[in-house]
Protein backbone atom coordinates (compact mmCIF):
# COMPACT_ATOMS: atom_id res chain seq x y z
CA UNK A 1 0.00 0.00 0.00
CA UNK A 2 2.75 2.39 0.98
CA UNK A 3 4.44 1.64 -2.32
CA UNK A 4 1.41 2.85 -4.19
CA UNK A 5 1.30 6.05 -2.16
CA UNK A 6 4.95 6.69 -2.97
CA UNK A 7 4.44 6.00 -6.67
CA UNK A 8 1.39 8.23 -6.72
CA UNK A 9 3.24 11.06 -4.99
CA UNK A 10 6.11 10.89 -7.47
CA UNK A 11 3.90 10.53 -10.51
CA UNK A 12 1.53 13.33 -9.55
CA UNK A 13 4.48 15.58 -8.73
CA UNK A 14 5.91 15.01 -12.19
CA UNK A 15 2.55 15.61 -13.85
CA UNK A 16 1.90 18.86 -11.99
CA UNK A 17 5.47 20.08 -12.46
CA UNK A 18 4.94 19.54 -16.20
CA UNK A 19 1.64 21.43 -16.05
CA UNK A 20 3.31 24.39 -14.37
CA UNK A 21 6.16 24.23 -16.86
CA UNK A 22 3.69 25.34 -19.54
CA UNK A 23 2.68 28.31 -17.38
CA UNK A 24 6.34 29.06 -16.70
CA UNK A 25 7.05 29.06 -20.42
CA UNK A 26 4.22 31.43 -21.26
CA UNK A 27 5.09 33.80 -18.43
CA UNK A 28 8.81 33.76 -19.25
CA UNK A 29 8.27 34.32 -22.96
CA UNK A 30 5.85 37.09 -22.08
CA UNK A 31 8.36 38.98 -19.95
CA UNK A 32 11.12 38.43 -22.49
CA UNK A 33 8.90 40.05 -25.12
CA UNK A 34 7.91 42.94 -22.79
CA UNK A 35 4.32 41.82 -22.27
CA UNK A 36 2.66 40.33 -19.20
CA UNK A 37 1.74 36.87 -20.46
CA UNK A 38 -1.15 34.98 -18.84
CA UNK A 39 -2.21 36.84 -15.69
CA UNK A 40 -5.96 36.44 -15.39
CA UNK A 41 -6.71 32.84 -14.38
CA UNK A 42 -5.92 32.18 -10.72
CA UNK A 43 -3.21 34.02 -8.79
CA UNK A 44 -1.19 35.92 -11.44
CA UNK A 45 -2.28 33.41 -14.09
CA UNK A 46 -1.01 30.36 -12.21
CA UNK A 47 -4.03 28.25 -13.12
CA UNK A 48 -3.64 28.91 -16.83
CA UNK A 49 -2.51 25.30 -17.38
CA UNK A 50 -5.73 23.98 -15.86
CA UNK A 51 -7.80 26.37 -17.97
CA UNK A 52 -5.92 25.31 -21.11
CA UNK A 53 -6.45 21.65 -20.29
CA UNK A 54 -10.15 22.21 -19.67
CA UNK A 55 -10.51 24.08 -22.95
CA UNK A 56 -8.71 21.42 -24.99
CA UNK A 57 -10.46 18.48 -23.35
CA UNK A 58 -13.90 19.98 -23.87
CA UNK A 59 -13.34 20.62 -27.56
CA UNK A 60 -14.77 18.31 -30.21
CA UNK A 61 -12.45 15.57 -31.38
CA UNK A 62 -12.28 15.75 -35.17
CA UNK A 63 -11.39 12.46 -36.84
CA UNK A 64 -10.22 12.51 -40.49
CA UNK A 65 -12.49 10.41 -42.73
CA UNK A 66 -10.12 7.76 -44.06
CA UNK A 67 -7.68 7.78 -41.18
CA UNK A 68 -6.49 4.63 -39.47
CA UNK A 69 -8.45 5.46 -36.33
CA UNK A 70 -6.89 3.00 -33.93
CA UNK A 71 -3.39 4.05 -34.87
CA UNK A 72 -4.39 7.70 -34.81
CA UNK A 73 -5.52 7.35 -31.21
CA UNK A 74 -2.69 5.06 -30.17
CA UNK A 75 0.22 7.16 -31.41
CA UNK A 76 -0.14 10.13 -29.02
CA UNK A 77 -0.56 7.59 -26.24
CA UNK A 78 2.70 5.94 -27.28
CA UNK A 79 4.46 9.29 -27.17
CA UNK A 80 3.06 10.12 -23.76
CA UNK A 81 3.71 6.68 -22.29
CA UNK A 82 7.32 6.73 -23.41
CA UNK A 83 7.79 10.25 -22.05
CA UNK A 84 6.39 9.23 -18.66
CA UNK A 85 8.17 5.89 -18.51
CA UNK A 86 11.46 7.74 -18.83
CA UNK A 87 10.80 9.13 -15.35
CA UNK A 88 10.57 5.71 -13.75
CA UNK A 89 14.31 5.50 -13.03
CA UNK A 90 14.84 9.14 -12.15
CA UNK A 91 16.02 9.51 -8.53
CA UNK A 92 14.40 12.50 -6.82
CA UNK A 93 16.60 11.68 -3.81
CA UNK A 94 19.21 8.91 -3.42
CA UNK A 95 17.30 5.68 -4.03
CA UNK A 96 13.95 7.48 -4.19
CA UNK A 97 12.93 6.31 -7.63
CA UNK A 98 9.84 4.64 -8.96
CA UNK A 99 12.06 1.66 -9.72
CA UNK A 100 15.65 1.25 -8.64
CA UNK A 101 17.53 -0.90 -11.12
CA UNK A 102 21.13 -1.50 -12.08
CA UNK A 103 20.31 -0.91 -15.76
CA UNK A 104 18.02 2.09 -15.23
CA UNK A 105 19.81 4.43 -17.58
CA UNK A 106 19.68 1.82 -20.35
CA UNK A 107 15.93 1.42 -19.85
CA UNK A 108 15.53 5.19 -20.01
CA UNK A 109 17.36 5.23 -23.35
CA UNK A 110 15.15 2.46 -24.68
CA UNK A 111 11.97 4.20 -23.55
CA UNK A 112 12.90 7.53 -25.06
CA UNK A 113 13.48 5.72 -28.38
CA UNK A 114 9.97 4.29 -28.36
CA UNK A 115 8.54 7.83 -28.41
CA UNK A 116 9.68 8.25 -32.01
CA UNK A 117 7.14 5.65 -33.10
CA UNK A 118 4.36 7.89 -31.82
CA UNK A 119 5.50 10.68 -34.09
CA UNK A 120 6.01 8.36 -37.05
CA UNK A 121 2.68 6.57 -36.76
CA UNK A 122 0.76 9.80 -36.14
CA UNK A 123 1.82 11.06 -39.55
CA UNK A 124 1.17 7.75 -41.25
CA UNK A 125 -2.26 7.10 -39.80
CA UNK A 126 -3.80 10.55 -40.36
CA UNK A 127 -4.26 10.05 -44.13
CA UNK A 128 -2.94 13.50 -44.91
CA UNK A 129 0.13 14.31 -46.94
CA UNK A 130 0.97 17.24 -44.68
CA UNK A 131 0.99 14.99 -41.65
CA UNK A 132 3.05 12.36 -43.43
CA UNK A 133 5.66 14.80 -44.65
CA UNK A 134 5.75 16.43 -41.22
CA UNK A 135 6.24 13.12 -39.48
CA UNK A 136 9.02 12.12 -41.89
CA UNK A 137 10.77 15.38 -41.15
CA UNK A 138 10.43 15.10 -37.40
CA UNK A 139 11.30 11.40 -37.30
CA UNK A 140 14.52 12.08 -39.17
CA UNK A 141 15.36 14.84 -36.70
CA UNK A 142 14.49 12.82 -33.62
CA UNK A 143 16.40 9.73 -34.72
CA UNK A 144 19.48 11.75 -35.64
CA UNK A 145 19.66 13.61 -32.36
CA UNK A 146 18.80 10.55 -30.33
CA UNK A 147 21.88 8.89 -31.75
CA UNK A 148 23.92 11.79 -30.47
CA UNK A 149 22.36 11.79 -27.02
CA UNK A 150 22.74 8.03 -26.70
CA UNK A 151 26.44 8.26 -27.56
CA UNK A 152 26.90 10.89 -24.87
CA UNK A 153 25.03 8.87 -22.26
CA UNK A 154 27.19 5.86 -23.13
CA UNK A 155 30.33 7.95 -22.63
CA UNK A 156 29.06 9.12 -19.24
CA UNK A 157 28.33 5.51 -18.29
CA UNK A 158 31.83 4.59 -19.38
CA UNK A 159 33.42 7.22 -17.13
CA UNK A 160 31.38 6.40 -14.05
CA UNK A 161 30.96 2.68 -14.63
CA UNK A 162 27.33 2.55 -13.56
CA UNK A 163 23.90 2.67 -15.13
CA UNK A 164 22.10 3.30 -11.86
CA UNK A 165 21.31 7.00 -11.66
CA UNK A 166 21.40 7.17 -7.84
CA UNK A 167 24.88 5.68 -7.92
CA UNK A 168 25.78 8.04 -10.74
CA UNK A 169 24.80 11.05 -8.63
CA UNK A 170 26.70 9.66 -5.64
CA UNK A 171 29.84 9.38 -7.76
CA UNK A 172 29.61 13.08 -8.60
CA UNK A 173 29.95 14.17 -4.99
CA UNK A 174 33.65 14.82 -5.53
CA UNK A 175 33.28 16.55 -8.89
CA UNK A 176 30.47 17.24 -11.35
CA UNK A 177 30.89 15.37 -14.61
CA UNK A 178 30.21 18.66 -16.38
CA UNK A 179 33.67 19.89 -15.37
CA UNK A 180 35.85 17.44 -17.31
CA UNK A 181 33.14 16.99 -19.94
CA UNK A 182 32.21 20.64 -20.32
CA UNK A 183 32.27 20.72 -24.15
CA UNK A 184 30.22 17.55 -24.22
CA UNK A 185 27.69 18.98 -21.78
CA UNK A 186 27.16 21.94 -24.12
CA UNK A 187 26.69 19.55 -27.03
CA UNK A 188 24.30 17.55 -24.85
CA UNK A 189 22.17 20.59 -24.18
CA UNK A 190 21.97 21.46 -27.88
CA UNK A 191 21.05 17.85 -28.61
CA UNK A 192 18.33 17.98 -25.96
CA UNK A 193 16.82 21.11 -27.48
CA UNK A 194 16.76 19.41 -30.89
CA UNK A 195 15.40 16.16 -29.45
CA UNK A 196 12.47 18.01 -27.90
CA UNK A 197 11.95 19.80 -31.24
CA UNK A 198 12.10 23.14 -29.44
CA UNK A 199 13.07 26.41 -31.10
CA UNK A 200 15.50 27.09 -32.74
CA UNK A 201 15.20 23.50 -34.00
CA UNK A 202 11.41 23.39 -34.23
CA UNK A 203 11.22 22.47 -37.91
CA UNK A 204 8.74 19.80 -36.84
CA UNK A 205 6.02 22.39 -36.52
CA UNK A 206 7.31 25.68 -37.82
CA UNK A 207 4.09 27.65 -37.39
CA UNK A 208 5.05 30.54 -39.61
CA UNK A 209 6.11 28.43 -42.60
CA UNK A 210 4.47 25.02 -42.38
CA UNK A 211 1.31 23.45 -41.05
CA UNK A 212 1.81 21.86 -37.67
CA UNK A 213 3.76 18.81 -38.83
CA UNK A 214 2.64 15.38 -37.66
CA UNK A 215 0.04 17.02 -35.40
CA UNK A 216 -1.89 18.57 -38.30
CA UNK A 217 -4.93 16.31 -37.93
CA UNK A 218 -4.97 16.28 -34.15
CA UNK A 219 -7.36 18.22 -32.00
CA UNK A 220 -8.76 18.32 -28.47
CA UNK A 221 -7.74 15.51 -26.10
CA UNK A 222 -5.50 13.69 -28.57
CA UNK A 223 -3.55 16.88 -29.09
CA UNK A 224 -3.30 17.29 -25.32
CA UNK A 225 -1.44 13.99 -25.16
CA UNK A 226 1.15 15.16 -27.69
CA UNK A 227 1.43 18.50 -25.94
CA UNK A 228 1.93 16.84 -22.58
CA UNK A 229 4.49 14.39 -23.93
CA UNK A 230 6.50 17.26 -25.42
CA UNK A 231 6.65 19.12 -22.12
CA UNK A 232 7.23 15.95 -20.12
CA UNK A 233 10.23 15.05 -22.21
CA UNK A 234 11.46 18.63 -21.96
CA UNK A 235 11.39 18.56 -18.17
CA UNK A 236 12.82 15.06 -18.20
CA UNK A 237 15.77 16.08 -20.33
CA UNK A 238 16.35 19.15 -18.14
CA UNK A 239 16.43 16.91 -15.09
CA UNK A 240 18.65 14.39 -16.85
CA UNK A 241 21.06 17.19 -17.81
CA UNK A 242 21.39 18.19 -14.19
CA UNK A 243 21.87 14.52 -13.24
CA UNK A 244 24.41 13.61 -15.89
CA UNK A 245 26.60 16.68 -15.82
CA UNK A 246 25.73 18.89 -12.87
CA UNK A 247 25.64 16.58 -9.90
CA UNK A 248 21.91 15.96 -9.59
CA UNK A 249 20.65 16.53 -6.06
CA UNK A 250 17.92 15.79 -3.60
CA UNK A 251 14.39 17.10 -3.98
CA UNK A 252 14.47 20.89 -3.99
CA UNK A 253 18.07 21.13 -5.19
CA UNK A 254 17.35 18.83 -8.12
CA UNK A 255 14.25 20.89 -8.87
CA UNK A 256 16.26 24.11 -8.90
CA UNK A 257 18.83 22.69 -11.27
CA UNK A 258 16.14 21.22 -13.53
CA UNK A 259 14.31 24.55 -13.51
CA UNK A 260 17.45 26.34 -14.55
CA UNK A 261 17.77 24.15 -17.65
CA UNK A 262 14.05 24.30 -18.35
CA UNK A 263 14.32 28.08 -18.20
CA UNK A 264 17.22 27.94 -20.66
CA UNK A 265 14.98 26.15 -23.19
CA UNK A 266 12.63 29.15 -23.06
CA UNK A 267 15.44 31.66 -23.10
CA UNK A 268 16.79 30.05 -26.26
CA UNK A 269 13.31 30.07 -27.74
CA UNK A 270 12.88 33.76 -27.07
CA UNK A 271 16.30 34.67 -28.40
CA UNK A 272 17.27 32.67 -31.47
CA UNK A 273 15.73 32.47 -34.94
CA UNK A 274 14.88 29.11 -36.49
CA UNK A 275 17.71 27.08 -38.03
CA UNK A 276 17.25 25.77 -41.57
CA UNK A 277 16.46 22.04 -41.71
CA UNK A 278 19.51 21.01 -43.76
CA UNK A 279 21.75 22.94 -41.38
CA UNK A 280 20.16 21.14 -38.47
CA UNK A 281 20.90 17.76 -40.04
CA UNK A 282 24.37 18.91 -41.02
CA UNK A 283 25.11 19.91 -37.44
CA UNK A 284 24.17 16.46 -36.19
CA UNK A 285 25.71 14.13 -38.78
CA UNK A 286 28.70 16.12 -39.98
CA UNK A 287 29.74 18.08 -36.90
CA UNK A 288 28.58 16.50 -33.65
CA UNK A 289 28.58 12.78 -34.44
CA UNK A 290 32.13 12.55 -35.83
CA UNK A 291 33.30 14.61 -32.87
CA UNK A 292 31.50 12.29 -30.47
CA UNK A 293 32.88 9.16 -32.10
CA UNK A 294 36.31 10.73 -31.77
CA UNK A 295 35.60 11.30 -28.09
CA UNK A 296 34.34 7.74 -27.78
CA UNK A 297 37.79 6.59 -28.88
CA UNK A 298 39.73 9.24 -26.98
CA UNK A 299 38.13 8.90 -23.54
CA UNK A 300 38.69 5.14 -23.06
CA UNK A 301 42.25 5.57 -24.36
CA UNK A 302 42.82 8.38 -21.86
CA UNK A 303 41.41 6.32 -19.03
CA UNK A 304 43.56 3.35 -20.02
CA UNK A 305 46.60 5.59 -20.27
CA UNK A 306 46.01 7.09 -16.83
CA UNK A 307 45.52 3.66 -15.30
CA UNK A 308 48.69 2.45 -16.97
CA UNK A 309 50.61 5.47 -15.63
CA UNK A 310 49.88 4.36 -12.10
CA UNK A 311 51.55 1.02 -12.74
CA UNK A 312 54.46 2.45 -14.71
CA UNK A 313 55.21 5.27 -12.28
CA UNK A 314 53.86 4.16 -8.90
CA UNK A 315 54.88 7.42 -7.23
CA UNK A 316 52.47 9.47 -9.36
CA UNK B 1 13.59 46.03 -16.39
CA UNK B 2 13.90 43.87 -13.26
CA UNK B 3 12.50 40.35 -13.24
CA UNK B 4 8.89 40.55 -12.02
CA UNK B 5 8.36 38.26 -9.04
CA UNK B 6 5.27 36.68 -10.57
CA UNK B 7 7.39 35.30 -13.40
CA UNK B 8 9.20 33.15 -10.84
CA UNK B 9 6.09 31.69 -9.18
CA UNK B 10 5.64 28.77 -11.60
CA UNK B 11 9.30 27.83 -11.17
CA UNK B 12 8.84 27.88 -7.40
CA UNK B 13 5.82 25.61 -7.71
CA UNK B 14 7.77 23.21 -9.93
CA UNK B 15 10.57 23.20 -7.37
CA UNK B 16 8.02 22.48 -4.65
CA UNK B 17 6.76 19.45 -6.56
CA UNK B 18 10.30 18.16 -6.97
CA UNK B 19 10.71 18.69 -3.22
CA UNK B 20 7.54 16.71 -2.56
CA UNK B 21 8.78 13.86 -4.75
CA UNK B 22 12.28 13.94 -3.27
CA UNK B 23 12.04 14.93 0.39
CA UNK B 24 8.44 13.74 0.88
CA UNK B 25 8.82 10.26 -0.58
CA UNK B 26 12.35 10.10 0.85
CA UNK B 27 10.91 10.70 4.31
CA UNK B 28 8.27 7.99 3.87
CA UNK B 29 10.96 5.53 2.89
CA UNK B 30 13.18 6.67 5.76
CA UNK B 31 10.32 6.02 8.18
CA UNK B 32 9.38 2.73 6.53
CA UNK B 33 12.97 1.52 6.78
CA UNK B 34 12.97 1.98 10.55
CA UNK B 35 14.58 5.47 10.43
CA UNK B 36 17.30 4.47 8.03
CA UNK B 37 17.95 5.72 4.50
CA UNK B 38 16.96 3.72 1.44
CA UNK B 39 19.53 1.46 -0.13
CA UNK B 40 20.05 1.55 -3.88
CA UNK B 41 21.97 -0.15 -6.69
CA UNK B 42 21.28 -3.54 -5.17
CA UNK B 43 22.13 -6.93 -6.60
CA UNK B 44 20.23 -10.19 -6.12
CA UNK B 45 22.22 -11.06 -3.01
CA UNK B 46 21.42 -7.70 -1.38
CA UNK B 47 17.74 -8.21 -2.17
CA UNK B 48 17.85 -11.68 -0.65
CA UNK B 49 19.53 -10.42 2.51
CA UNK B 50 17.01 -7.60 2.85
CA UNK B 51 14.17 -10.08 2.51
CA UNK B 52 15.78 -12.17 5.25
CA UNK B 53 16.16 -9.11 7.49
CA UNK B 54 12.52 -8.26 6.87
CA UNK B 55 11.48 -11.73 7.93
CA UNK B 56 13.65 -11.50 11.04
CA UNK B 57 12.92 -7.96 12.19
CA UNK B 58 9.92 -6.57 10.33
CA UNK B 59 11.81 -3.90 8.34
CA UNK B 60 14.04 -4.44 5.31
CA UNK B 61 16.96 -2.65 6.96
CA UNK B 62 16.32 -4.07 10.41
CA UNK B 63 19.14 -5.53 12.50
CA UNK B 64 18.84 -7.67 15.59
CA UNK B 65 21.25 -8.88 18.23
CA UNK B 66 19.11 -11.92 19.05
CA UNK B 67 21.08 -15.10 18.42
CA UNK B 68 17.92 -17.16 17.88
CA UNK B 69 15.50 -16.41 15.06
CA UNK B 70 11.82 -15.93 15.93
CA UNK B 71 9.59 -19.00 15.70
CA UNK B 72 7.77 -17.93 12.55
CA UNK B 73 11.05 -17.66 10.63
CA UNK B 74 11.15 -21.46 10.23
CA UNK B 75 7.92 -21.65 8.31
CA UNK B 76 7.92 -18.45 6.25
CA UNK B 77 7.33 -19.37 2.61
CA UNK B 78 6.69 -16.28 0.56
CA UNK B 79 5.25 -16.78 -2.90
CA UNK B 80 5.23 -14.14 -5.60
CA UNK B 81 2.03 -14.85 -7.48
CA UNK B 82 0.20 -11.87 -8.75
CA UNK B 83 -2.83 -12.76 -10.81
CA UNK B 84 -5.92 -14.08 -9.12
CA UNK B 85 -8.57 -15.72 -11.20
CA UNK B 86 -11.95 -16.94 -9.94
CA UNK B 87 -11.52 -20.10 -12.00
CA UNK B 88 -10.89 -22.84 -9.41
CA UNK B 89 -9.95 -20.05 -7.00
CA UNK B 90 -6.37 -20.16 -8.16
CA UNK B 91 -3.47 -17.76 -8.55
CA UNK B 92 -1.65 -17.61 -11.86
CA UNK B 93 1.26 -15.75 -13.34
CA UNK B 94 0.35 -13.88 -16.52
CA UNK B 95 2.45 -16.27 -18.57
CA UNK B 96 0.53 -19.28 -17.23
CA UNK B 97 -2.75 -17.61 -18.01
CA UNK B 98 -1.68 -16.96 -21.56
CA UNK B 99 -0.41 -20.50 -21.90
CA UNK B 100 -3.67 -21.93 -20.66
CA UNK B 101 -5.58 -19.71 -23.04
CA UNK B 102 -7.46 -17.53 -20.57
CA UNK B 103 -6.17 -14.42 -22.28
CA UNK B 104 -6.23 -15.54 -25.90
CA UNK B 105 -9.58 -17.30 -25.64
CA UNK B 106 -8.62 -20.94 -26.22
CA UNK B 107 -10.08 -22.11 -22.96
CA UNK B 108 -8.63 -25.26 -21.59
CA UNK B 109 -10.73 -26.58 -18.73
CA UNK B 110 -9.26 -29.69 -17.28
Amino acid sequence: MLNFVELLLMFVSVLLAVAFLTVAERKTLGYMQRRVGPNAVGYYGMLMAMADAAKLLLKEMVMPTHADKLMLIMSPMMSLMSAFLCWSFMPFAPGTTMSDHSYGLMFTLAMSSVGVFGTLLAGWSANSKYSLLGSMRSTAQLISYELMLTTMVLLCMLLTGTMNLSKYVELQESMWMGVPLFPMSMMWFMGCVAECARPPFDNVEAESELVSGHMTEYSSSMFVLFFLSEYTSMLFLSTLTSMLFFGGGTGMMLGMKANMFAFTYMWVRATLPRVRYDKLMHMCWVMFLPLLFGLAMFLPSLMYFMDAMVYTYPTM
Amino acid sequence: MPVPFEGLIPYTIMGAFFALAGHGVGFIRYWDNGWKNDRYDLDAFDQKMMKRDFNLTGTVRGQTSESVAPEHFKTIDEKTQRYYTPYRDQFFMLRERMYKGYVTGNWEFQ
Side-chain angles (χ1 to χ4, degrees), chain A residues 56-69 72-73 76 125-128 131 214-223:
Chain A
L56 282 166
L57 291 173
L58 291 174
K59 274 170 87 171
E60 185 190 355
M61 197 191 291
V62 181
M63 196 73 82
T65 322
H66 293 289
D68 186 336
K69 290 187 179 55
L72 196 79
I73 293 172
S125 59
N127 190 32
S128 155
S131 289
H214 62 282
M215 290 182 268
T216 307
E217 303 293 344
Y218 280 92
S219 57
S220 76
S221 50
M222 290 198 296
F223 175 74

Side-chain angles (χ1 to χ4, degrees), chain A residues 2 6 13 16-17 20-21 28 31 34 44 46 92 94-97 100 164 166-167 170 251-252 255 259 263 266, chain B residues 1 4-7 9-11 13-23 25-26 28-29 31-32 38 40-42:
Chain A
L2 208 57
E6 288 164 4
S13 300
L16 288 173
F20 281 99
L21 181 65
T28 310
Y31 290 122
R34 294 287 173 102
Y44 282 107
M46 282 314 114
F92 295 100
T96 307
T97 55
D100 184 64
N164 184 295
S166 301
K167 189 81 180 166
E170 184 193 313
M252 195 72 179
N259 277 353
F263 168 77
M266 292 149 205
Chain B
M1 186 178 148
F5 83 94
E6 61 261 32
I9 300 174
Y11 293 105
I13 298 174
M14 283 160 65
F17 282 121
F18 269 88
L20 179 69
H23 303 297
V25 177
I28 295 178
R29 297 221 171 153
W31 167 74
D32 197 28
D38 233 8
Y40 51 86
D41 200 20
L42 305 174

Side-chain angles (χ1 to χ4, degrees), chain A residues 199 202-213 230 269 274:
Chain A
D202 63 334
N203 296 282
V204 172
E205 43 159 350
E207 297 101 340
S208 48
E209 291 119 42
L210 307 160
V211 280
S212 55
E230 185 188 327
R269 176 175 181 172
R274 191 172 294 126

Side-chain angles (χ1 to χ4, degrees), chain A:
Chain A
M1 187 62 204
L2 208 57
N3 264 329
F4 286 113
V5 175
E6 288 164 4
L7 288 177
L8 199 70
L9 269 177
M10 285 192 266
F11 191 70
V12 170
S13 300
V14 169
L15 259 179
L16 288 173
V18 168
F20 281 99
L21 181 65
T22 61
V23 184
E25 167 158 44
R26 295 180 64 178
K27 296 286 277 185
T28 310
L29 282 180
Y31 290 122
M32 284 190 177
Q33 295 159 356
R34 294 287 173 102
R35 57 188 173 85
V36 285
N39 67 346
V41 191
Y43 182 70
Y44 282 107
M46 282 314 114
L47 296 180
M48 198 61 215
M50 315 303 160
D52 270 343
K55 182 205 75 175
L56 282 166
L57 291 173
L58 291 174
K59 274 170 87 171
E60 185 190 355
M61 197 191 291
V62 181
M63 196 73 82
T65 322
H66 293 289
D68 186 336
K69 290 187 179 55
L70 180 69
M71 218 188 266
L72 196 79
I73 293 172
M74 287 298 284
S75 44
M77 288 182 192
M78 283 170 73
S79 282
L80 188 66
M81 287 304 291
S82 81
F84 274 127
L85 277 172
C86 286
W87 283 94
S88 49
F89 292 95
M90 181 63 75
F92 295 100
T96 307
T97 55
M98 296 190 203
S99 172
D100 184 64
H101 199 271
S102 322
Y103 296 105
L105 209 50
M106 198 57 100
F107 180 87
T108 307
L109 286 179
M111 273 305 115
S112 60
S113 311
V114 172
V116 179
F117 283 105
T119 312
L120 186 64
L121 294 177
W124 173 255
S125 59
N127 190 32
S128 155
K129 58 173 82 68
Y130 301 109
S131 289
L132 185 64
L133 289 172
S135 85
M136 286 294 139
R137 205 167 54 224
S138 53
T139 307
Q141 178 179 341
L142 293 184
I143 289 177
S144 306
Y145 277 90
E146 194 181 297
L147 200 61
M148 205 179 111
L149 295 188
T150 309
T151 315
M152 285 191 248
V153 170
L154 289 176
L155 278 174
C156 288
M157 282 180 200
L158 178 83
L159 281 186
T160 51
T162 179
M163 286 185 242
N164 184 295
L165 269 169
S166 301
K167 189 81 180 166
Y168 189 95
V169 171
E170 184 193 313
L171 288 167
Q172 289 183 84
E173 277 172 11
S174 51
M175 183 174 60
W176 291 358
M177 290 296 279
V179 177
L181 297 179
F182 183 66
M184 204 169 92
S185 65
M186 287 196 294
M187 272 157 68
W188 166 270
F189 185 74
M190 283 186 254
C192 286
V193 174
E195 180 69 15
C196 292
R198 298 278 305 167
F201 307 119
D202 63 334
N203 296 282
V204 172
E205 43 159 350
E207 297 101 340
S208 48
E209 291 119 42
L210 307 160
V211 280
S212 55
H214 62 282
M215 290 182 268
T216 307
E217 303 293 344
Y218 280 92
S219 57
S220 76
S221 50
M222 290 198 296
F223 175 74
V224 170
L225 300 188
F226 265 128
F227 189 71
L228 255 183
S229 72
E230 185 188 327
Y231 279 84
T232 309
S233 55
M234 201 171 121
L235 192 61
F236 170 73
L237 283 175
S238 308
T239 319
L240 195 63
T241 310
S242 55
M243 287 268 162
L244 284 181
F245 296 105
F246 298 94
T250 301
M252 195 72 179
M253 182 49 80
L254 179 67
M256 279 165 65
K257 286 179 185 172
N259 277 353
M260 201 184 75
F261 291 108
F263 168 77
T264 316
Y265 278 68
M266 292 149 205
W267 187 7
V268 164
R269 176 175 181 172
T271 311
L272 297 173
R274 191 172 294 126
V275 177
R276 224 170 60 198
Y277 191 74
D278 60 325
K279 289 193 172 175
L280 171 76
M281 284 294 164
H282 186 272
M283 188 172 87
C284 178
W285 289 97
V286 183
M287 290 162 73
F288 281 168
L289 267 180
L291 195 60
L292 276 175
F293 289 153
L295 265 177
M297 285 186 275
F298 172 70
L299 280 179
S301 314
L302 183 71
M303 285 168 74
Y304 181 78
F305 174 72
M306 289 171 93
D307 277 353
M309 288 279 277
V310 175
Y311 296 116
T312 320
Y313 306 106
T315 49
M316 280 184 79

